[in-house]
Amino acid sequence: MADGTGRTGTDGGGGRPAGHEVVAAAVRLFERRGYEATTMGDVAEEAGLSRRSLFRRFGTKDDILFAEHEELYEGVRRFLDAAPGGDPVATVTTAARMVFQGYAAEPDTSVRRFRLVRAVPRLRDREIAMTARYQSAFRRYLAGGERDTERALAAEAVAASVIAAHNHVLRSWLREPEHPVPWDRFDRAMAFVTEGLADVLRGGPARPRGGEEVVVAVYPAGTSPDEVARRVRTALDPGDPPPAVDSRGRI
């Protein structure tokens, strides 16, 4: 069973290796012998399974490599389906944290798999497809069934941004796994990419980044620089008298 972290429990049936142990053994073998050169028979021998048992449980080498990700995706999907009402952005960032925890739970396997995926184009294609599934799940949840609305657009943008932020922090850590899992950096990245558009998904208007207001002023041609400067400064800070300006509008 998936426990929400991407790890599988011990299988029944005579002490067979648990799923994550098979994956770990396979990844070590792929790294040692080369992914293309390793056969399913090799993996079965490394994991202490018969070929029949291995094929029944996984099917292909690609399935072995991404088995925990498939389980993790299903766990995230169930989490989103069961999420109560409230803050949809917080729910999605929590789901993204679950995915990150799936990698952090087995760092040795995650690092080895990361290197393999970077080296084998077919594996990169499958990883991209998995990323697209997460993004689609996040978008559907955030949009709440709406289409062609501001909320639907915000859902698309936030889902893509959350995936990008997750992958940015994750890959940085996987390149230097000797460092602690960067949870603080992960949380800052989530806040950074959801600020502003999150308000739309929470039922309010979007606000500019950092809470700043934008003032746009349009005046007829021929308006003097003094008058333009006076009106703009008054709009920006109506409580203060406008400073003196010269004939070119300079302070």
Side-chain angles (χ1 to χ4, degrees):
M1 295 288 292
D3 65 5
T5 65
R7 303 176 66 175
T8 51
T10 302
D11 293 335
R16 295 182 303 169
H20 70 88
E21 294 174 355
V22 176
V23 172
V27 169
R28 290 194 300 269
L29 189 61
F30 294 152
E31 188 176 55
R32 187 166 70 246
R33 293 190 181 180
Y35 186 79
E36 299 295 352
T38 303
T39 68
M40 286 288 280
D42 296 333
V43 174
E45 182 178 357
E46 182 80 6
L49 292 171
S50 68
R51 284 172 52 89
R52 182 177 180 181
S53 294
L54 185 69
F55 275 106
R56 185 169 61 246
R57 295 172 69 182
F58 296 102
T60 69
K61 292 187 295 182
D62 292 11
D63 293 337
I64 296 174
L65 195 64
F66 290 97
E68 292 173 332
H69 291 310
E70 292 290 341
E71 293 182 358
L72 180 56
Y73 170 77
E74 289 302 319
V76 166
R77 188 180 58 79
R78 289 192 297 269
F79 171 76
L80 294 175
D81 288 345
D87 186 341
V89 176
T91 297
V92 163
T93 56
T94 298
R97 181 179 259 264
M98 290 171 60
V99 180
F100 200 100
Q101 177 60 34
Y103 287 86
E106 297 288 346
D108 182 68
T109 298
S110 294
V111 170
R112 293 174 188 270
R113 181 166 43 212
F114 173 72
R115 292 169 180 165
L116 282 168
V117 169
R118 300 280 74 75
V120 182
R122 185 176 78 253
L123 300 180
R124 290 202 298 272
D125 291 343
R126 181 150 178 175
E127 183 183 59
I128 290 169
M130 176 61 70
T131 297
R133 291 173 68 190
Y134 279 116
Q135 184 172 327
S136 180
F138 292 168
R139 175 187 54 77
R140 287 195 303 270
Y141 174 79
L142 291 169
E146 295 188 17
R147 298 177 62 185
D148 303 323
T149 64
E150 187 179 56
R151 180 187 179 93
L153 175 59
E156 190 81 57
V158 169
S161 297
V162 165
I163 291 294
H166 172 280
N167 289 346
H168 175 78
V169 178
L170 175 65
R171 289 165 183 165
S172 176
W173 174 63
L174 288 174
R175 291 186 185 100
E176 298 181 314
E178 67 276 9
H179 297 308
V181 179
W183 289 119
D184 288 347
R185 187 179 174 201
F186 177 88
D187 290 338
R188 289 196 303 271
M190 290 295 116
F192 178 81
V193 300
T194 60
E195 184 181 353
L197 284 176
D199 290 347
V200 175
L201 298 167
R202 291 169 180 145
R207 59 184 173 85
R209 293 190 58 79
E212 298 175 355
E213 295 183 353
V214 178
V215 175
V216 178
V218 179
Y219 296 101
T223 304
S224 71
D226 290 25
E227 181 63 10
V228 171
R230 185 188 69 80
R231 293 189 185 185
V232 169
R233 288 187 173 85
T234 298
L236 291 172
D237 194 353
D240 292 337
V245 296
D246 63 19
S247 60
R248 296 185 181 180
R250 299 176 299 190
I251 298 175

